[in-house]
Amino acid sequence: MAERGDITVDYAQSPRIVRVAAPSTELTVQDLHDTLRGVFEEELTDLDQPELVSSAGKEDLGGGVSVGITSTLQNAIVTFEARKTSSESGTVTTGDAAGVTLIDSAATFVTSSVSPGDWVVNLTDGSCCSVLNVVSETELQTDGLGDGADDEFGLGDSYKIWPVIQCEIDGGNLVATDTGGSIISPILPSAMTQIVRTSSASATQTEESAIRFSSYADSSVWIDTASSTTGTAYPAGTSRDPVNNSADAQAIANEIGVDTLRMTNNLTLDTVTDHTNMLFQGRSPRTTQLTI
């Protein structure tokens, strides 16, 4: 939760425009709420404006579970600042009448980080397309020019390429209404950005750390030398997905803060990993042996 300094509000528009400045590409619903409430609605100069946002949720249900946040923008919508800087420009040196292949012997498409999804505009005939594949420094495959005079990459045609920047709004539900209270889209598209909005599928959200910790049965990290699981990425080390070595198990235990390693079969400790103050538990003295 934070009040962000890269957000501005354009009150002259209706709906009002909440703009996230470049180069930011991520916005959480909680940060949006905190910033609109804590910065803009508290400024004396904005007291003649109706409220920007109302939010509900976050009530604690216990056990690390809380109601998810839903924010409603009041006659306002969110946008990310348009990206207007091209990544590459040049002249076609090998023509393609199909308007699919762009070749420029002087280009540096790879070095300039041209990527699939970037926009290509043929400045000579006014057509445009999207990059499908960066073949080499000097060649691109596209989905085909359209809406131009001839829709060709003609020899000598000038072009520009703009990267499309993916931006994300997550961490809750975001809705918006207009001046009359009708539901509208909370997103305003902007040039060369693609906004991905993640909504909560249920009314509650659970803290990730609480979910993860509760997955380790008996507050233990589990080891099964017959398992194929290695590494420390969750759910490795849970009772359903035990790791096959004590080094990974110890690393997981250190990360989540437990002091018990539970063995499902015989285990031989290595001479490198520090298991100081760890409790090793087996199924029984007869069926599980620990070799140090």
Side-chain angles (χ1 to χ4, degrees), residues 235-264:
T238 61
S239 58
R240 292 188 177 183
D241 195 11
V243 290
N244 62 16
N245 65 92
S246 62
D248 288 341
Q250 184 66 55
I252 296 169
N254 293 340
E255 181 179 351
I256 66 175
V258 300
D259 58 7
T260 302
L261 301 182
R262 193 174 294 269
M263 307 176 296
T264 62

Side-chain angles (χ1 to χ4, degrees), residues 85-89 106-115 118 134 136-137 140 159 161-163:
T85 303
S86 62
S87 61
E88 183 74 271
S89 62
T108 55
F109 296 135
V110 176
T111 302
S112 299
S113 299
V114 175
S115 303
D118 289 357
V134 181
S136 67
E137 286 277 22
L140 299 176
Y159 68 87
I161 300 173
W162 282 268

